[in-house]
Amino acid sequence: MSTTTPASIPEVTHHRATLDGTELHYVSAGDTGTPVLLVHGFPESWWAFHKVIPLLAAEHRVIAVDLPGFGDSGTRPGDYTSSTFAESLRRLITHLDLGAVHLTGQDIGGTPTFRLAAQHPELLRSYTAIEAALPGFGLEQFADVARGGSWHVGFLGAPGIPELLLVGHEREFLTGFALPAMNGTPGAVTDVDVDELTRVYSRPDGLRGTTGIYGSMLTEGDEIRRLAAEHRLTMPVLAVDAGSGPFTSRTMHAVATDVTTATIDGIGHLVALEAPDALAETLLAFYRRLDA
């Protein structure tokens, strides 16, 4: 198990909250402006946004959370699905008395954040999806290796298999496959990033959140389609595409009415690490228009 000291930045304060038995770790920055809630993907934690947070915090109160079973959030036995993650996010917004937030989900963080947006629109000022696909709206194709999909999607969702093969080899998996496959910007992922991600994924049961949400995403396509049909998003939505092509904007147009699209060219999939300045300015411009 990694014993690396947790990474941080001077601009954030670390917090823990136990909500209905789920222990969440999150960081906060900024004390003025409308609230922004940042939700990471894989292979990430709150740390994915560490370059973006200070830029947003100049104008907003910013919260970046570790999803259950990720980062430094709890890993106790239980259900780790996009549905339970959405409920944890709802409880966090309520616990912090944030009011309506600018909700932002990256990569697999898109499914729980979409659920929250669809089921609790009163909690959102806006919704942003960054390089995010949804079950039932194309995510399955990324698991279809016969049609160019990636093997890791099905692998990470296979019960018991990731724990059997990855425990003790987290750094090798991150540096030998996951990060190089997703990063398109030389130098964007540093040794500090690798150390921090290795640390959190090497915790006891540190893969629990990953295997849970990947497993749920591979089985919930019908449910997400029903949710989208019954609760089409009506709040302002921003879809941010990057190295994976226009799938985020296509997906958001399928589930939302008021969609703004943005493309950050010349990078891979890890938008917040690869292009923090461009992402922050894209988000700030969107938020400014809505908050004016």
Side-chain angles (χ1 to χ4, degrees):
M1 186 179 74
S2 172
T3 57
T4 305
T5 301
S8 190
I9 56 174
E11 292 86 352
V12 305
T13 303
H14 292 257
H15 312 267
R16 292 187 180 274
T18 301
L19 307 176
D20 194 33
T22 299
E23 184 182 15
L24 293 180
H25 168 261
Y26 63 95
V27 301
S28 64
D31 53 12
T32 60
T34 52
V36 174
L37 177 58
L38 302 173
V39 183
H40 63 84
F42 175 85
E44 296 176 343
S45 66
W46 81 268
W47 182 254
F49 296 105
H50 76 276
K51 300 175 185 176
V52 175
I53 291 170
L55 303 176
L56 299 183
E59 299 181 25
H60 295 272
R61 180 182 178 189
V62 182
I63 308 294
V65 64
D66 286 334
L67 288 167
F70 285 86
D72 285 304
S73 287
T75 60
R76 69 180 182 90
D79 291 331
Y80 290 81
T81 66
S82 70
S83 179
T84 59
F85 287 6
E87 177 61 12
S88 292
L89 295 174
R90 184 195 69 79
R91 290 180 182 277
L92 181 63
I93 292 170
T94 302
H95 171 73
L96 295 177
D97 195 23
L98 294 176
V101 303
H102 292 296
L103 179 64
T104 301
Q106 180 164 278
D107 182 58
I108 60 168
T111 306
T113 52
F114 168 75
R115 280 186 178 273
L116 181 62
Q119 294 171 320
H120 296 282
E122 74 280 2
L123 295 180
L124 273 67
R125 291 176 177 269
S126 71
Y127 175 53
T128 297
I130 305 169
E131 284 279 290
L134 292 176
F137 291 92
L139 183 143
E140 293 81 4
Q141 74 189 50
F142 292 103
D144 188 349
V145 293
R147 291 176 172 82
S150 177
W151 62 272
H152 82 279
V153 180
F155 168 75
L156 291 173
I161 301 301
E163 296 90 342
L164 179 67
L165 299 178
L166 293 184
V167 171
H169 303 283
E170 294 86 359
R171 181 180 293 271
E172 292 88 342
F173 177 69
L174 290 169
T175 60
F177 166 71
L179 294 171
M182 298 180 192
N183 177 31
T185 307
V189 177
T190 68
D191 289 344
V192 173
D193 300 328
V194 172
D195 286 346
E196 173 63 4
L197 295 175
T198 299
R199 180 187 71 82
V200 296
Y201 283 104
S202 298
R203 296 182 305 153
D205 298 316
L207 292 169
R208 184 162 270 163
T210 300
T211 59
I213 193 171
Y214 271 97
S216 76
M217 290 191 308
L218 292 173
T219 61
E220 63 189 350
D222 289 343
E223 182 184 357
I224 297 296
R225 278 193 294 269
R226 285 195 301 271
L227 187 62
E230 296 170 1
H231 302 280
R232 186 172 180 83
L233 303 188
T234 57
M235 76 286 295
V237 171
L238 173 64
V240 180
D241 288 308
S244 301
F247 71 83
T248 305
S249 53
R250 285 200 302 262
T251 301
M252 289 301 110
H253 278 296
V255 302
T257 300
D258 179 6
V259 181
T260 300
T261 61
T263 302
I264 301 178
D265 292 316
I267 65 170
H269 178 62
L270 304 177
V271 182
L273 285 175
E274 295 184 61
D277 293 332
L279 177 59
E281 188 48 49
T282 299
L283 294 173
L284 287 171
F286 181 61
Y287 301 155
R288 286 173 191 142
R289 174 167 63 84
L290 300 178
D291 291 341

